[in-house]
Amino acid sequence: TKGMATIRGKVMDLTMLAGMEATIDLLDLADGRIVMTFTSDPKTGEYLIVVPAGRQYAMHVQANGYLLHSENIDTGAENRDLSMNVDLKPLEAGTNEVMRNIFFEREKAALDPASLGELGQLLGMLRDNPALRLEIGGHTDGDGAEAYNDELSTRRANAVVDHLVNNGIPGERLVAKGYGASQPLVPNDSDENKARNRRTEMRVL
């Protein structure tokens, strides 16, 4: 029998440091379909789900007035117990979130089809908040020449913006910016860290 993965944690309001109710969607990255939708406990913020292991999931956490939060969950093949606490940030200028399920073909700016689930969630947030303006920032790891990284990250940010505009979001609500390797989250000293630094971020303008 295939193993099961238990995912548990709390959803917190980052400013109030209190548990909160949020909607959590779990998508299967292989085909982009929503596996389940549920809510965290309104008082404690706690949630608990059990899903088939051996698959990769995108988890999206949303609440009105907060920035979409995404996690990438690789369950592994065995029975696993994963703990994942989520801090939601208010929709205020300057707040930012890494979009952990936006993928590109290697060394290219073409969006991988596995990104469509997260892009759909992002579209929903933009449609629900018509006054919201976002900067989409592209970031690379430290490998490669600076000019190359700057250009690649700019093209990747533009690919996300183009997708949103093609799906009906007015272009004046979006800004694409490539940061190259200038804003690493962690040192570029391992493959795992480099993967964390290669990312797409959204920031409220």
Side-chain angles (χ1 to χ4, degrees):
T1 57
K2 270 264 169 87
M4 299 302 283
T6 303
I7 307 167
R8 67 179 82 217
K10 278 185 179 180
V11 181
M12 306 278 284
D13 174 319
L14 188 61
T15 48
M16 310 287 286
L17 294 179
M20 62 175 286
E21 185 172 6
T23 302
I24 303 173
D25 289 321
L26 205 67
L27 279 73
D28 190 316
L29 273 177
D31 56 13
R33 75 192 166 82
I34 293 186
V35 180
M36 57 173 72
T37 298
F38 54 99
T39 52
S40 55
D41 183 279
K43 286 200 181 67
T44 64
E46 288 173 349
Y47 72 89
L48 170 76
I49 44 173
V50 180
V51 289
R55 304 194 68 81
Q56 207 170 6
Y57 298 97
M59 187 168 95
H60 296 110
V61 187
Q62 315 181 61
N64 280 340
Y66 293 85
L67 204 50
L68 169 71
H69 178 95
S70 75
E71 293 285 351
N72 179 284
I73 301 172
D74 196 340
T75 54
E78 303 301 312
N79 286 325
R80 295 278 298 282
D81 199 340
L82 300 168
S83 173
M84 194 152 290
N85 290 337
V86 171
D87 292 325
L88 286 191
K89 301 174 182 175
L91 280 177
E92 290 167 3
T95 53
N96 66 305
E97 279 279 8
V98 176
M99 292 187 280
R100 293 179 177 83
N101 301 289
I102 304 278
F103 309 104
F104 295 93
E105 292 172 26
R106 187 163 175 76
E107 305 295 339
K108 294 199 175 117
L111 281 161
D112 188 284
S115 310
L116 289 172
E118 188 136 318
L119 289 165
Q121 301 270 359
L122 186 55
L123 280 164
M125 184 180 72
L126 284 159
R127 288 176 184 140
D128 290 345
N129 298 278
L132 180 64
R133 292 180 62 240
L134 289 181
E135 175 192 277
I136 305 295
H139 297 263
T140 65
D141 60 30
D143 294 353
E146 192 178 329
Y148 172 81
N149 284 335
D150 289 349
E151 192 248 353
L152 179 64
S153 62
T154 301
R155 286 195 301 142
R156 286 181 166 179
N158 274 315
V160 174
V161 167
D162 288 348
H163 179 89
L164 298 172
V165 170
N166 289 340
N167 283 277
I169 304 300
E172 59 268 17
R173 294 179 55 194
L174 302 162
V175 175
K177 190 160 168 50
Y179 288 94
S182 68
Q183 293 186 357
L185 293 174
V186 286
N188 283 297
D189 54 11
S190 68
D191 287 346
E192 195 181 336
N193 278 0
K194 286 175 185 174
R196 279 186 64 192
N197 287 331
R198 290 193 298 273
R199 68 197 188 278
T200 306
E201 284 193 12
M202 57 178 159
R203 186 167 66 89
V204 180
L205 294 172

